[in-house]
Amino acid sequence: MQPRVFLVDDHELIRTGIRSELSGSLDIIGEADEVQAAIEIILERRPDVVLLDVHMPDGGGLAVLRAVTDLAPEVRFLALSVSDASEDVISVIRAGARGYVTKNISGPDLLDAIYRVAAGDAVFSPRLAGFVLDAFSLEGRHLEAGDVDPDLDLLTPRERQVLRLIARGYSYRDIATELAISAKTVESHVSSVLRKLQLSNRHQLSNWASQRHLN
Amino acid sequence: MPTQTPPRPIIGTPVRPYRRGVQNAILGGVCGGLAIRLGIKERVVRIIFCLLALVSGVGFLLYMILWLGVARADEPEAIAQRLVGRHRQLNRIAIGIVAIVAIFFFLQFLGMPDLGVFTWPIFLTLLGAVGIWRGASPEELVHLGEFAKSAPFLGAAASKSRGSFWLRLALGAILIFFGLRILRHLGGVWGLATPAFFGTLVLIGGVLVLLAPWWLATLNDLTGERRERVRIEERANVAAHLHDSVLQTLTLIERAAGDEAAVVRLARNQERELRQWLFSPDGSTDASSFLGDLRALEDEIENDYGVRIELVVVGDCVSDEHVTALVAAGREAAINAARWSGADLVSIYAEVEESTLSLFVRDQGSGFDPETVPADRQGIALSIRQRVTQRGGTVTLKSTLGAGTEVQLVLPRTS
C-alpha cells in the first residue's frame, strides 16, 4: 500500500517539484502553504507522512509539529529543509519529526526516506547525523558526571558508531555490512538515537544550542 | 476596505459616507471629515464645535463619540470597533472606567462638589481620550505625535506658525474658563481645604491623562524612528549583498543558459555562498579554523571538478600545522575521488575529538583494486600517506570495485 503523504511548504515551486517527482509512487493527499492551514488539514485528513518544511512564516514546521503531535500521534513527520542551522533542525526533531533530509536530496532517496518514515523508522541524513553527534558530544564534554542520567542522555558507543557512518555517507545497508550486523539492528540503533534526542533533558540541549550561537 | 472619499471638502456637494478626515485633520479629523461629508468649509464645522463645547461641554462629548465611533478615511474600522475586537484591551479599559467612576463617587461622598454641568462631559471625554490612546492605529498615533510636537502643551516645540498660535489661544481660553468655574464653585459654596485639595488632584490627574498620550506618542515616535533607521540600514546591507552575489550570478546564469555544466556550477557556488552568509551571520568562516579550511576545500573541489560535496563536520578547532596537513591530505583524496571515481557526490566527514582529528573522504563510484593502481595515481596516494604518517597519524584505504572508495585519515592533535 502506498503511504498517504501530505506536503507542507510555503514555496509553490518546491511543492510542485516534489509532487511531480513522487506522485506516481505515493498517494499525495494534499498540501498546504502555511502553518494554520497545514494544522487544520492534517488533523482532518490524517496522512501517514507529512513532508514538513522547517522554515515558514508564523512559527515554521515547529508550530505545525507542536499542534499536531498531541492530537494525532499516528501522523509521522519528515522534515525537509535547505537549512544549515543545526538548532532549527534539532529542535524540529526534538518536537517529534522522525527524520530530516535536505531539499537537494534525489527523488529516489526522498521516496526511500518517506517509506522508511511511514514504516515507523527514523531517517538520518549525513548532515543530521553530524548535528546530533555534535549535540551529544558537546553535552558529554561540558557536563559533570553526576549531572546526567547516562542511560538516557548519552549515546552508546555503538550508536555513535552508526551515526558516524551515516555522517560519512554510508547507507543503512552499507552500515550493516560494515559492522556485520543486520539492517534491522541498524534501524533500531537509529531509532534509539532519535528517542534519546527527543527525551533527553531539555536544559542540556538548549545549553548546546546557545553554545552553537556563541561559537 | 478603505473607503474612497475626497481629501478636502467639495463645497456645496455632500459626500457619503462619513469618515474622519486624514489630510485635513488637526486632532482626530472629526471636523474635517464632517466638512467633507456635508460639503461645507472645515472652519465652519470647527467653530460650531467650539461653541458647542461651551454649552455644557456637549461639543467635547460629541467630538469624542465621533472620534471613537467613526473610522478614519484610510482605515477599515473605527477605534471603538478595534477596542471591542481586542478583549484584553477591553478588560483593561473596563477596569480603568470602573476605577475612575469609583474615584468620582468617592469624591462625591467626601463632599467634593461636582464641576457643574461639565462634570460628566469632562469625565467621559477623559475616558474617550484613554480609549483613543489605546485603540488608535499606528498611523493615527503618528499623526497625533506630530500634532503633539507642534501643540502648545509641551512648549518645547512651539512652532511659530499663526495657526498654532490661535490653537494655543483657544485651548488656553477653554482651560481658564473651566478653572474659573471650578474655583467659583469651591470658593462660593464650599470654601473648605479638603475638597479644594481633592479638586486640585482631580484637575492635575485630568491634565496628566490628557497629556500622557501626547507625551507617550512622541516618545514612541522617536524610538520607532530609531528602529526604522536601523531597519533601513540593515535592509541596505542585505540589498547590497544580494546585488553583489545573487544578482550577479543570475545574470551569469542567463548568459550561460546553453551550457548546462556551467549553470549547475554557478548555481551551486551561489547556493554555498548564500548559505554561509545566512547561517554564519558573524562571518565566522575565516580560514583559520578546521571548519573554515574544510569549507574552502569544499568550494574549491565543487568549483574545479563539478562534483557535489556533502560536508559534515563535528566539532571545530583552531588551525595549526596538523590541521593544515590533514586538510591537505583530505584535499588530495577528494580530488582523487572527484577525478577518477565517476561518482557525482563525494562525502567528507570530519570530527574533532579531545586527542584526535579524523577525516573521511568517501565516494560511491567505480572503486579500484589498491594492488593494481596505475603509477600516476599511486603518487597521489603516497603523498596522502606521507603527510599523515609523518605526523604520527594513520591512513586506511578501503576500496571495492564497483562500490566505491573511502580514505580514512586519523591524526593526533598537537596540543
Side-chain angles (χ1 to χ4, degrees):
Chain A
M1 200 190 78
Q2 291 184 347
R4 296 161 64 250
V5 176
F6 189 86
L7 308 178
V8 182
D9 196 310
D10 55 336
H11 293 102
E12 168 82 42
L13 274 175
I14 298 280
R15 291 200 312 274
T16 316
I18 292 175
R19 211 178 330 125
S20 70
E21 214 160 11
L22 301 182
S23 56
S25 345
L26 291 171
D27 182 11
I28 296 180
I29 60 164
E31 48 188 73
D33 63 353
E34 49 141 14
V35 170
Q36 201 48 46
I39 294 169
E40 280 166 27
I41 309 178
I42 290 170
L43 287 177
E44 183 190 300
R45 301 193 188 163
R46 307 286 166 132
D48 298 322
V49 178
V50 176
L51 267 186
L52 185 67
D53 187 16
V54 175
H55 284 276
M56 281 185 295
D58 301 325
L62 206 55
V64 179
L65 268 164
R66 293 211 169 119
V68 172
T69 39
D70 287 341
L71 296 170
E74 78 276 14
V75 177
R76 293 180 173 129
F77 287 87
L78 175 61
L80 185 69
S81 162
V82 291
S83 169
D84 267 3
S86 50
E87 304 88 54
D88 297 346
V89 175
I90 295 279
S91 63
V92 164
I93 297 290
R94 280 170 64 75
R98 301 206 54 87
Y100 162 75
V101 292
T102 44
K103 277 183 184 168
N104 55 15
I105 188 174
S106 72
D109 284 349
L110 180 58
L111 197 63
D112 181 55
I114 292 173
Y115 269 91
R116 228 179 256 284
V117 169
D121 291 326
V123 171
F124 275 35
S125 60
R127 191 163 279 153
L128 175 58
F131 290 161
V132 175
L133 278 171
D134 213 15
F136 278 102
S137 74
L138 259 178
E139 248 182 61
R141 212 173 293 157
H142 290 275
L143 288 168
E144 322 267 308
D147 272 4
V148 193
D149 175 2
D151 292 338
L152 187 61
D153 284 307
L154 293 178
L155 302 178
T156 65
R158 195 53 142 191
E159 285 160 359
R160 211 172 274 274
Q161 216 171 4
V162 169
L163 279 184
R164 273 205 188 100
L165 286 169
I166 295 174
R168 276 154 65 178
Y170 281 65
S171 69
Y172 286 13
R173 203 181 316 117
D174 295 340
I175 296 171
T177 322
E178 175 78 18
L179 300 179
I181 53 180
S182 73
K184 206 83 211 138
T185 315
V186 175
E187 260 159 26
S188 80
H189 282 309
V190 175
S191 296
S192 117
V193 171
L194 187 78
R195 207 165 42 244
K196 287 183 181 180
L197 198 59
Q198 287 167 352
L199 293 180
S200 82
N201 189 320
R202 205 158 282 270
H203 171 67
Q204 289 155 21
L205 274 180
S206 56
N207 255 357
W208 165 79
S210 63
Q211 261 162 0
R212 294 280 307 184
H213 275 299
L214 289 178
N215 285 347
Chain B
M1 281 303 294
T3 313
Q4 288 296 320
T5 46
R8 300 272 161 202
I10 307 162
I11 307 298
T13 316
V15 179
R16 278 167 185 285
Y18 175 35
R19 288 279 185 274
R20 286 190 288 122
V22 173
Q23 287 180 31
N24 62 351
I26 289 181
L27 195 59
V30 169
C31 295
L34 213 53
I36 295 172
R37 169 70 185 88
L38 300 173
I40 52 180
K41 285 188 176 177
E42 290 110 331
R43 200 181 298 156
V44 176
V45 184
R46 285 187 182 126
I47 289 172
I48 292 173
F49 262 86
C50 285
L51 290 176
L52 278 176
L54 293 178
V55 183
S56 314
V58 169
F60 285 126
L61 215 51
L62 197 61
Y63 195 93
M64 270 304 158
I65 291 170
L66 291 176
W67 195 347
L68 284 167
V70 177
R72 230 174 163 224
D74 54 355
E75 285 168 15
E77 49 180 10
I79 292 175
Q81 277 171 295
R82 214 174 292 137
L83 285 173
V84 172
R86 282 189 248 151
H87 291 284
R88 221 191 299 155
Q89 288 275 5
L90 204 63
N91 288 343
R92 217 181 288 163
I93 285 168
I95 291 169
I97 289 174
V98 168
I100 288 178
V101 170
I103 290 172
F104 183 61
F105 277 105
F106 177 65
L107 292 177
Q108 293 273 39
F109 174 72
L110 276 181
M112 163 74 187
D114 52 43
L115 303 169
V117 282
F118 285 95
T119 313
W120 284 104
I122 288 177
F123 269 100
L124 293 175
T125 305
L126 294 186
L127 290 182
V130 174
I132 287 164
W133 172 32
R134 307 294 315 179
S137 65
E139 293 81 40
E140 186 159 6
L141 285 178
V142 166
H143 166 77
L144 289 176
E146 274 162 20
F147 172 72
K149 272 182 215 156
S150 60
F153 304 102
L154 300 176
S159 89
K160 289 167 185 70
S161 80
R162 197 176 284 186
S164 91
F165 171 74
W166 285 112
L167 191 67
R168 192 189 318 194
L169 201 68
L171 278 161
I174 293 170
L175 282 178
I176 288 169
F177 179 77
F178 281 125
L180 285 179
R181 278 198 73 126
I182 294 165
L183 282 181
R184 199 165 57 212
H185 252 277
L186 292 177
V189 188
W190 300 89
L192 292 167
T194 320
F197 173 69
F198 276 109
T200 317
L201 271 190
V202 170
L203 257 184
I204 292 173
V207 170
L208 276 181
V209 168
L210 260 179
L211 287 186
W214 267 301
W215 183 57
L216 286 177
T218 320
L219 249 171
N220 281 345
D221 217 29
L222 283 178
T223 49
E225 209 173 89
R226 208 169 301 137
R227 208 177 303 132
E228 180 71 3
R229 201 167 54 235
V230 170
R231 214 177 57 81
I232 286 174
E233 272 167 25
E234 187 71 9
R235 203 185 133 75
N237 282 342
V238 173
H241 183 269
L242 289 183
H243 177 265
D244 290 347
S245 58
V246 178
L247 222 50
Q248 303 284 2
T249 305
L250 286 176
T251 320
L252 287 174
I253 285 179
E254 267 171 52
R255 277 212 207 124
D259 182 351
E260 197 183 323
V263 169
V264 169
R265 206 184 61 233
L266 283 167
R268 256 185 217 153
N269 258 340
Q270 187 53 63
E271 182 195 336
R272 200 168 44 242
E273 200 255 353
L274 199 58
R275 264 170 198 291
Q276 284 185 11
W277 186 69
L278 285 174
F279 297 117
S280 42
D282 47 356
S284 62
T285 50
D286 49 352
S288 63
S289 72
F290 193 26
L291 181 62
D293 290 353
L294 286 167
R295 288 241 168 95
L297 171 68
E298 180 191 16
D299 275 9
E300 182 200 336
I301 294 179
E302 286 200 346
N303 263 339
D304 294 354
Y305 298 93
V307 294
R308 205 153 62 77
I309 302 278
E310 170 103 60
L311 175 66
V312 178
V313 183
V314 173
D316 195 9
C317 65
V318 189
S319 232
D320 58 17
E321 192 217 332
H322 277 202
V323 167
T324 316
L326 187 66
V327 173
R331 178 172 172 274
E332 300 288 350
I335 289 176
N336 253 0
R339 235 193 219 160
W340 305 107
S341 74
D344 58 359
L345 175 72
V346 177
S347 305
I348 300 181
Y349 172 69
E351 187 173 358
V352 179
E353 283 164 293
E354 250 165 81
S355 56
T356 52
L357 303 165
S358 359
L359 188 64
F360 300 84
V361 180
R362 180 171 189 264
D363 67 72
Q364 285 176 280
S366 52
F368 61 92
D369 181 355
E371 301 302 315
T372 61
V373 180
D376 57 334
R377 284 171 64 183
Q378 205 152 27
I380 297 168
L382 271 180
S383 84
I384 296 173
R385 217 172 270 283
Q386 205 180 22
R387 278 177 218 268
V388 177
T389 48
Q390 236 176 24
R391 293 172 174 82
T394 55
V395 176
T396 317
L397 183 71
K398 290 207 295 188
S399 190
T400 318
L401 272 174
T405 307
E406 185 176 54
V407 180
Q408 311 174 353
L409 310 165
V410 181
L411 201 57
R413 285 178 74 172
T414 25
S415 51

